[in-house]
Amino acid sequence: QVQLQESGPGLVKPSQTLSLTCSVSGGSVTSGHYYWTWIRQTPGKGLEWIGYISDTGSTYYSPSLRSRVTVSVDTAKNHFSLQLTSVTAADTGVYYCASCDYGSGSYYVDSWGQGALVTVSS
Amino acid sequence: DIRLTQSPSSLSASVGDRVTITCRASESISIYLHWYQQKPGKAPKLLIYAVSSLQTGVPSRFSGSGSGTEFTLTISSLQPDDFATYYCQQSYGTLYTFGQGTKLEIK
């Protein structure tokens, strides 16, 4: 299993862009069988799947967030990133990066970062 | 979206008890049902994947079963370390979703 670590600002102003990075160790973002994933946990919606980018570069985003979300990967730095635009207080929560194993055919999350608390407030 | 409903939402039990948590899906999800444990301030941890496969390192007192739309997580003999919140997650639909959680507390 890989190890994951989120980094980024803990405070974002309303209407601005939330940006987080997930550093991957113990494996490569180009290795097969993982979706590099962002999940958040908010008081209002509990655990919520945001989206992912695969080792081949294909992406999937939650329909409710699709217009505001981008997940990208930097192979040179072996990390992947989340950008969420036009944030509101409803976007306040703990953001997790995670690895979703699709190689097994079962699509489960086998590694999680420790979580990054992001507060949206002026 | 496929909705997952867990029951109960909270549960009080004692060390040594046998506990069962249920997860119901709004439509059939085949074997794409997984269970996680979360402790306060920590990330969720995978316990069981594909209904009944135990993740490496997870004690054998945890087991999963079910099919179609109804699934269960069973802890055969509760240990002090097991008091936590448990979540089911489905990966059958294009949007993966989680249940709302079951908080397991000490009686």
Side-chain angles (χ1 to χ4, degrees), chain B residues 67-84:
Chain B
S67 63
T69 62
E70 187 158 330
F71 304 87
T72 59
L73 171 69
T74 299
I75 310 173
S76 60
S77 178
L78 272 175
Q79 299 302 301
D81 191 48
D82 300 338
F83 292 95

Side-chain angles (χ1 to χ4, degrees), chain A residues 1 35 39 41 47-49 52 60 62-63 96 100 105-110 112-114, chain B residues 1 31-32 34 36 38 41-46 49-50 55 87 89 91 94-96 98:
Chain A
Q1 293 177 2
Y35 292 150
I39 295 166
Q41 190 166 27
L47 286 165
E48 182 182 13
W49 203 277
Y52 63 74
Y60 174 83
S62 167
Y96 295 101
C100 178
S106 298
Y107 306 87
Y108 53 84
V109 176
D110 63 355
W112 300 70
Q114 85 282 2
Chain B
D1 301 352
I31 65 164
Y32 300 98
H34 323 296
Y36 302 85
Q38 186 179 33
K42 300 293 188 183
K45 169 190 168 185
L46 178 68
Y49 62 94
Q55 174 69 342
Y87 295 92
Q89 178 241 322
S91 53
T94 51
L95 174 63
Y96 301 163
F98 292 87

